Amino acid sequence: MRSSIRQFVEMADYDDERRLKLEQLQLNMEKTKTEIELTKIAIRKENGDEEDEFEDDGFLEALKGTEVDWDE
């Protein structure tokens, strides 16, 4: 299936609505994976396991459309 999706993306016009929807779905999946990982880190931190290092670089805010100053 992934191969078929990859082939579709390669063949579809750049402005093809289906391609844009597919890219949006892929970005939403990545966002969800990131949010899950952040939640896991927060839970481990609450339980006293702080070996994971996490620096909030504003990525999630940028995904939500909030303006982020990346130069800080």
Side-chain angles (χ1 to χ4, degrees):
M1 177 136 176
R2 289 181 188 195
S3 176
S4 296
I5 291 172
R6 205 172 299 121
Q7 287 176 348
F8 170 78
V9 169
E10 290 172 1
M11 292 184 329
D13 289 335
Y14 184 75
D15 292 329
D16 188 318
E17 183 179 337
R18 296 170 296 175
R19 178 183 173 155
L20 296 174
K21 286 182 181 181
L22 181 60
E23 288 177 3
Q24 184 177 13
L25 287 172
Q26 290 172 329
L27 289 173
N28 284 337
M29 286 184 348
E30 287 299 318
K31 177 183 173 189
T32 300
K33 287 178 187 178
T34 302
E35 289 173 341
I36 289 170
E37 187 59 33
L38 291 175
T39 301
K40 287 179 181 179
I41 291 170
I43 290 170
R44 286 194 296 266
K45 202 172 200 176
E46 284 180 14
N47 292 332
D49 182 9
E50 296 188 28
E51 64 183 61
D52 288 321
E53 290 187 26
F54 171 72
E55 182 180 334
D56 183 9
D57 63 356
F59 178 72
L60 292 177
E61 287 79 13
L63 286 176
K64 294 176 186 174
T66 306
E67 187 173 328
V68 176
D69 184 7
W70 296 94
D71 294 328
E72 290 182 356

